[in-house]
Amino acid sequence: MAIKPAGQQENLLPAMFRDGRILQGIAQIIFVVIVVIVLNDLQTRINTALESTNQSPNFEFLQNRAGFSLADSGSYSSNDRYIDAFEVGFINTLRVVLLGLASTTVIGIMAGIFLLSRNFLLRTISRAYVEVLRNTPVLLQIIAWYFIVMLSLPQQQESIAFPREGVRSLPLLQYALSLLVVLFIWQYGGTLRRPAWRNGVRQAGIAVVVLVNLLGISIVGAATPIEFHPGIYISIKGVAVFELIPSALFGVWMVFVVLGAVVALAMSRYFAFITESTGQPIPRTRLALTAFISFTLLGWIIMGMRPTPSAISVYDDEGGAFIEMEYEDAFESGMLTIEQELEYTRQPLLFRPPTLDRRGRNIETGIEFSPNYLAVFLGLVIYTSAFIAEIVRAGIQAVPKGQLEASRALGLSQADMLRLIILPQALRVIIPPLGNQFLNLSKNSSLAIAVAYTDIYQVTFTIINQSGQSVTGIVMVMLSYLFISLCISLLMNVINQRYQLVTR
Amino acid sequence: MEDGKQQVMAGDEPIIICRDMNKWFGEFHVLRNISIEVMPQEVLVIIGPSGSGKSTFIRCINRLEEHQDGTIIVDGIELSHDVQNIADIRRETGMVFQQFNLFPHLTVIDNITLAPMKVRHWARDKAEQRAMELLERVEIPEQAFKYPGQLSGGQQQRVAIARALAMEPKIMLFDEPTSALDPEMIKEVLDVIEELARSGMTMLVVTHEMGFAREVADRIIFMDMGRIVEQGPPENFFSPDIEHHPRTQEFLDQIL
């Protein structure tokens, strides 16, 4: 049979227009042209419509005075611009999303591991937790947190305080000695060869020490009275938490902290190298952590030895004038200004308990979480954690049983099997759906409007109502969520790539 | 049938002793009164129909399955709930599985060096050197830095054998090592196992490869319904002149 040369057939069309590649190219061009025409038409129509109602999209209005006040807004006031209000909303959304992602991951992983527990009670409780929470709408849960939990908390005057205010006696010396005894028993137990004895000695020893202390049996009687200041207040106004403010010594102390971190890292590397080259097992993480904590504490103690000025000038409220006082007296009487305290304190971080302003209504020092914030935060975290628990459970169960059998047959310890075999393979399954749940949490945060938390959506909604700039407003909200989501996706993709398997 | 006393080779103490071992899966009685002794360097091949308990039997020896009744003593250590004993026995027994069970997230060489480094506390250099020697022995040194997913089934199973050998075990357990392989790959794996048998390793092999069994076994055990029905040296076992237990005869008629 004769071979047909390309383009030699009897046909009305020239050969070029029968080439599949060219036909595809033409189709692409036609499609692009149609899309451009449609979009252009749409844009013209929208613009004309908006212009006729005097709403043409622009970003200039953002510089105008907002004129409305916002809760959870820091230093923002109604005299600030629209763009400042928008920023408040964006930061509030980030506050929910970032803290929410961290918390929900921790709770979800724990619940997921409990779902696989051999302990019947633990397993059943976590199963109930997961089933109830993931089968009810998240909106309902947020509203329940707000109206049932937050609004039934006590008034601000009767806040629940942790720890209770007052002076209590603690046998500190005995506690310190107990800790030493526990550490000693732990170390001694570690030298026993049989795990049954090892665990038995450790558990029995610690139980005895704890029991002695719980029963209040005083062996070393040094009781030290300690003044307790509440660090956390819980009331209908939300949760107020103490602040730690870096003082003048903070910089020097950070040198110790950084040095500690460097030493810990170097130790960890060095011991890893020793283990690799000699095979001798060394608990390098524990040793490195001990070094880091030692440096940090050492820095704190050395900072504490700094002399304070003998006399200091403070403002006397009663006399209405500055007077010279002994530093210790001024400190005791609480007459030092915060700046003076930060300058002359012996602590790198100054503990400041939450206090109310003169009118007793707003918080002056400390970090405040409003009930609206807490309702959104808890609602999202608890709801999402139920899904993450299931993802973690499925991921662990997805590791084939043969992998466990092979690890056991090789004699790997339970800990090594979990760390080196199960976890790397479970993470491969867990990470992609985990990323989806992260995205869900960040987008569900727009439900904050249900409990009037001033997140980006609620603030922009107010801006739109007031300025009429709906197109600009919605575009800005969309871009904000898009930005957050893309950041999460990027992070998850980077992590995901590390755990992918190599196959042929 | 007589116990295989003629199999006494190097050493005179049995390395594995099972006495009246019983095991149930729920109500199902999988292993019934298994009593057997394995001498050092002996190659024991276990055959029998599916569900006869052969795999369960060898999985009891390194405690992947728990026996409920009777005694198992491996290398002088009794298997009980004592986790230290279990760890000691697992250190001395290597196992090769039907489905290879290589760690897919580790390279071939890391698969092999992992246990020696973590369990025997070898230096990396020593473990890697040993791993390369073993890869030479199973004839795939060029695959050392690939991942299991990049290898053929036969190559994967040879890596699995090298991985078990890296722990320098006294006993090797093979649980149907060729059942998941394509026919043309079976031979390469059997060659490796055969070479190992000749080198004097104590081995328990569950297999359906009768030619291989005849070739390498010192003793063949035939199991059915959780019992040891018959045992003896391969020349007797496959011999048509010897009168077999009716169940054995039936099985042999099926496969030969």
Side-chain angles (χ1 to χ4, degrees):
Chain A
M1 195 180 132
I3 296 164
K4 269 190 201 169
Q8 290 294 301
Q9 296 88 334
E10 311 242 341
N11 204 311
L12 294 174
L13 282 172
M16 199 180 88
F17 292 107
R18 282 182 280 119
D19 185 325
R21 291 163 300 179
I22 289 175
L23 287 176
Q24 272 181 7
I26 293 170
Q28 286 288 347
I29 292 166
I30 295 173
F31 185 65
V32 167
V33 168
I34 292 174
V35 168
V36 167
I37 290 172
V38 168
L39 283 183
N40 187 47
D41 184 60
L42 201 64
Q43 197 212 354
T44 326
R45 280 165 197 275
I46 289 174
N47 276 346
T48 336
L50 289 174
E51 262 165 39
S52 67
T53 51
N54 206 11
Q55 292 186 22
S56 46
N58 68 76
F59 290 93
E60 281 139 40
F61 82 98
L62 288 171
Q63 302 300 329
N64 297 347
R65 179 178 173 274
F68 55 84
S69 56
L70 290 170
D72 286 297
S73 56
S75 58
Y76 166 87
S77 80
S78 59
N79 280 328
D80 285 330
R81 300 160 302 169
Y82 280 127
I83 185 79
D84 299 316
F86 183 81
E87 192 189 317
V88 167
F90 187 66
I91 287 170
N92 279 347
T93 292
L94 280 186
R95 278 210 307 159
V96 169
V97 171
L98 293 182
L99 218 56
L101 289 182
S103 318
T104 202
T105 312
V106 173
I107 298 175
I109 289 174
M110 269 169 42
I113 291 170
F114 289 163
L115 281 175
L116 293 170
S117 167
R118 284 190 197 152
N119 182 321
F120 173 78
L121 196 62
L122 205 57
R123 192 174 63 229
T124 314
I125 291 174
S126 38
R127 177 45 67 193
Y129 171 91
V130 167
E131 293 307 330
V132 169
L133 291 166
R134 70 174 183 161
N135 290 314
T136 47
V138 60
L139 178 62
L140 188 76
Q141 289 184 29
I142 292 174
I143 288 175
W145 277 108
Y146 187 67
F147 286 98
I148 298 175
V149 180
M150 294 303 153
L151 294 189
S152 55
L153 289 171
Q155 289 299 316
Q156 207 159 21
Q157 289 79 11
E158 290 127 33
S159 294
I160 306 162
F162 291 116
R164 272 180 300 124
E165 177 94 60
V167 179
R168 264 164 281 157
S169 287
L170 291 179
L172 274 190
L173 191 58
Q174 178 160 341
Y175 289 163
L177 282 174
S178 301
L179 197 68
L180 276 179
V181 171
V182 165
L183 281 176
F184 175 77
I185 292 174
W186 195 265
Q187 285 298 335
Y188 170 72
T191 61
L192 297 175
R193 187 163 163 276
R194 296 192 174 265
W197 297 355
R198 187 153 65 210
N199 294 335
V201 164
R202 282 177 172 178
Q203 284 165 8
I206 290 163
V208 167
V209 172
V210 170
L211 209 63
V212 164
N213 281 303
L214 278 183
L215 291 176
I217 301 168
S218 184
I219 297 166
V220 194
T224 330
I226 293 190
E227 209 177 326
F228 281 96
H229 296 291
I232 298 170
Y233 287 97
I234 301 169
S235 71
I236 197 160
K237 286 280 195 120
V239 174
V241 183
F242 63 86
E243 265 179 299
L244 290 174
I245 309 172
S247 73
L249 294 177
F250 183 73
V252 190
W253 182 60
M254 275 315 280
V255 174
F256 281 88
V257 176
V258 170
L259 208 62
V262 170
V263 169
L265 203 70
M267 275 171 75
S268 176
R269 286 276 169 83
Y270 178 69
F271 288 138
F273 170 72
I274 295 288
T275 305
E276 290 263 303
S277 52
T278 68
Q280 181 193 359
I282 305 171
R284 60 172 187 273
T285 313
R286 205 190 327 159
L287 288 173
L289 210 63
T290 311
F292 177 70
I293 294 171
S294 307
F295 264 89
T296 311
L297 286 181
L298 190 72
W300 197 285
I301 291 166
I302 291 175
M303 295 296 104
M305 293 196 286
R306 185 175 82 139
T308 49
S310 52
I312 191 162
S313 160
V314 292
Y315 188 77
D316 182 17
D317 271 338
E318 286 166 32
F322 282 95
I323 53 167
E324 288 281 316
M325 254 181 117
E326 293 246 346
Y327 178 82
E328 295 299 332
D329 291 342
F331 179 77
E332 288 293 321
S333 58
M335 286 163 83
L336 293 175
T337 62
I338 179 71
E339 288 79 15
Q340 283 173 320
E341 261 194 72
L342 286 174
E343 181 63 36
Y344 297 114
T345 179
R346 288 165 163 171
Q347 292 163 356
L349 287 166
L350 207 59
F351 172 85
R352 286 226 298 173
T355 50
L356 296 176
D357 64 6
R358 280 165 199 276
R359 288 179 302 164
R361 281 169 57 193
N362 293 313
I363 220 126
E364 199 174 56
T365 62
I367 305 158
E368 194 185 21
F369 298 98
S370 71
N372 315 58
Y373 171 83
L374 289 170
V376 177
F377 174 77
L378 289 171
L380 291 175
V381 163
I382 303 287
Y383 174 77
T384 315
S385 73
F387 288 89
I388 292 178
E390 280 291 63
I391 290 168
V392 169
R393 178 195 60 76
I396 293 173
Q397 284 185 333
V399 178
K401 214 166 142 244
Q403 294 289 311
L404 312 189
E405 288 181 349
S407 322
R408 290 204 192 99
L410 286 168
L412 290 182
S413 67
Q414 285 285 328
D416 279 339
M417 178 166 84
L418 192 69
R419 193 168 60 88
L420 302 168
I421 308 300
I422 300 179
L423 216 57
Q425 296 188 59
L427 281 175
R428 175 170 59 92
V429 182
I430 289 172
I431 286 166
L434 187 68
N436 284 341
Q437 290 306 326
F438 284 0
L439 292 177
N440 277 349
L441 185 141
S442 71
K443 288 179 293 179
N444 284 343
S445 71
S446 60
L447 292 171
I449 199 166
V451 290
Y453 175 65
T454 49
D455 80 326
I456 192 166
Y457 178 61
Q458 210 233 325
V459 171
T460 316
F461 196 67
T462 314
I463 295 176
I464 290 173
N465 271 342
Q466 202 156 308
S467 65
Q469 296 287 349
S470 50
V471 176
T472 319
I474 284 170
V475 166
M476 281 169 71
V477 177
M478 282 170 84
L479 288 179
S480 304
Y481 279 116
L482 195 65
F483 171 73
I484 295 173
S485 295
L486 287 178
C487 285
I488 294 173
S489 299
L490 190 72
L491 180 73
M492 295 314 283
N493 281 343
V494 170
I495 298 173
N496 197 23
Q497 262 164 16
R498 286 195 47 194
Y499 287 99
Q500 280 318 300
L501 285 186
V502 180
T503 47
R504 68 175 71 232
Chain B
M1 271 278 146
E2 266 294 292
D3 233 27
K5 281 179 191 123
Q6 69 278 26
Q7 262 72 33
V8 177
M9 297 182 162
D12 37 10
E13 287 288 308
I15 193 163
I16 300 174
I17 304 169
C18 287
R19 273 191 224 112
D20 301 322
M21 198 234 301
N22 278 284
K23 173 166 180 61
W24 290 262
F25 281 132
E27 291 290 297
F28 180 54
H29 200 164
V30 258
L31 295 177
R32 299 163 191 253
N33 293 320
I34 305 281
S35 290
I36 195 168
E37 290 185 353
V38 183
M39 302 310 276
Q41 306 202 348
E42 188 175 355
V43 177
L44 197 69
V45 171
I46 303 160
I47 59 174
S50 306
S52 57
K54 0 180 243 309
S55 286
T56 312
F57 167 57
I58 68 163
R59 286 158 60 87
C60 281
I61 290 173
N62 66 352
R63 195 69 166 188
L64 287 185
E65 303 284 357
E66 196 180 298
H67 64 287
Q68 276 110 22
D69 189 27
T71 318
I72 302 177
I73 299 167
V74 181
D75 196 25
I77 308 164
E78 181 171 357
L79 260 182
S80 61
H81 286 280
D82 187 319
V83 285
Q84 188 63 49
N85 279 1
I86 296 174
D88 289 347
I89 287 176
R90 283 177 179 167
R91 208 169 301 155
E92 302 305 335
T93 50
M95 186 159 197
V96 175
F97 300 86
Q98 182 178 353
Q99 298 296 339
F100 328 137
N101 295 346
L102 293 177
F103 304 131
H105 59 297
L106 299 177
T107 56
V108 164
I109 192 143
D110 287 342
N111 262 282
I112 300 173
T113 57
L114 181 74
M117 286 170 66
K118 292 290 168 191
V119 183
R120 289 222 186 269
H121 303 308
W122 287 5
R124 179 177 287 279
D125 283 351
K126 183 182 173 193
E128 283 184 349
Q129 197 188 336
R130 182 83 186 111
M132 285 316 292
E133 285 167 20
L134 287 166
L135 285 174
E136 304 266 0
R137 189 165 168 191
V138 298
E139 294 173 350
I140 38 172
E142 71 283 358
Q143 312 288 355
F145 299 100
K146 287 193 182 164
Y147 284 87
Q150 295 168 302
L151 306 185
S152 74
Q155 290 171 329
Q156 288 194 46
Q157 193 62 300
R158 285 188 277 165
V159 173
I161 294 170
R163 179 177 71 174
L165 289 175
M167 282 293 285
E168 301 192 331
K170 293 183 177 154
I171 302 160
M172 284 286 284
L173 307 172
F174 290 88
D175 185 1
E176 304 200 19
T178 56
S179 300
L181 295 175
D182 290 344
E184 71 225 65
M185 290 170 185
I186 291 175
K187 192 176 176 297
E188 65 186 51
V189 172
L190 289 183
D191 286 348
V192 170
I193 301 176
E194 209 174 316
E195 187 262 326
L196 199 60
R198 294 225 176 78
S199 75
M201 176 68 80
T202 311
M203 304 197 329
L204 274 69
V205 186
V206 171
T207 187
H208 294 297
E209 299 293 327
M210 292 305 144
F212 167 77
R214 192 196 307 243
E215 198 70 25
V216 303
D218 293 318
R219 176 160 47 133
I220 290 183
I221 287 187
F222 175 69
M223 284 183 73
D224 185 45
M225 311 275 287
R227 284 195 183 82
I228 295 179
V229 177
E230 188 173 334
Q231 55 180 309
E235 54 274 19
N236 291 356
F237 191 86
F238 291 107
S239 163
D241 311 328
I242 290 177
E243 193 185 330
H244 290 294
H245 186 283
R247 183 67 188 90
T248 317
Q249 194 58 57
E250 191 188 335
F251 181 76
L252 289 175
D253 290 344
Q254 293 280 334
I255 55 165
L256 293 178

